[in-house]
Amino acid sequence: MKKLYFFLLALILPVALWAQAPSAYSLRIQNQTPWPQQCVIFGGEVCGPCASTYTSVTIMVAPMTTLSYGNSTTLGGSYPPSVPKGIVGAKILNGPAVCSPGGGTVGQPPCGLPTTYGYVTVLPGCTPAGPTKAIWVPATNCQSTAQLIFQP
């Protein structure tokens, strides 16, 4: 009986991992911190392999604000304005570019990306504000919504 159990588990596990989405169709960004947050979204073809073919403009998220993107056409940057593409992850900027803040990446786990990134938010005056965590909530399939949540 144990051999049958392990055999069935060996068959099911790769299918379950394969079923996770490499990209999302839409994105919701929620800033739960008292500080502005910045990120750049990246991705490739919808339901395609993991890629960073397209990148958005730098997105500024005001404190205690939620932004919703029904698809990638409004992300700007190299994302096409007329054909939706996949959303794979986000490059998190610790602060404004003039402060050379550094950053990290979060995104879809099937693409090998972490779902959390911890850092200290840097304010526009290049002063540290406080500890922040960026959390990526993966899309369950390539037609669903991923979430990026900033928490203090």
Side-chain angles (χ1 to χ4, degrees):
M1 190 64 161
K2 277 187 178 180
K3 286 183 182 182
L4 178 60
Y5 172 76
F6 286 115
F7 175 75
L8 290 174
L9 185 60
L11 289 176
I12 294 171
L13 191 56
V15 172
L17 292 174
W18 179 80
Q20 293 178 346
S23 68
Y25 188 78
S26 56
L27 178 66
R28 180 175 176 232
I29 304 174
Q30 185 177 20
N31 183 0
Q32 299 174 351
T33 76
W35 315 293
Q37 301 296 328
Q38 299 180 55
C39 61
V40 175
I41 307 305
F42 61 89
E45 297 303 318
V46 174
C47 296
C50 298
S52 58
T53 308
Y54 307 105
T55 57
S56 72
V57 297
T58 299
I59 297 171
M60 303 281 292
V61 189
M64 310 306 284
T65 300
T66 299
L67 304 175
S68 294
Y69 298 90
N71 61 47
S72 66
T73 60
T74 57
L75 290 172
S78 62
Y79 272 101
S82 57
V83 180
K85 299 295 180 180
I87 298 168
V88 171
K91 167 75 173 167
I92 307 301
L93 305 174
N94 296 7
V98 297
C99 302
S100 301
T105 304
V106 294
Q108 293 291 108
C111 296
L113 298 170
T115 55
T116 60
Y117 169 65
Y119 58 101
V120 173
T121 296
V122 177
L123 295 175
C126 299
T127 57
T132 305
K133 184 188 292 187
I135 302 166
W136 185 269
V137 180
T140 55
N141 63 61
C142 55
Q143 296 299 319
S144 64
T145 304
Q147 293 184 69
L148 173 58
I149 303 168
F150 294 99
Q151 292 181 336

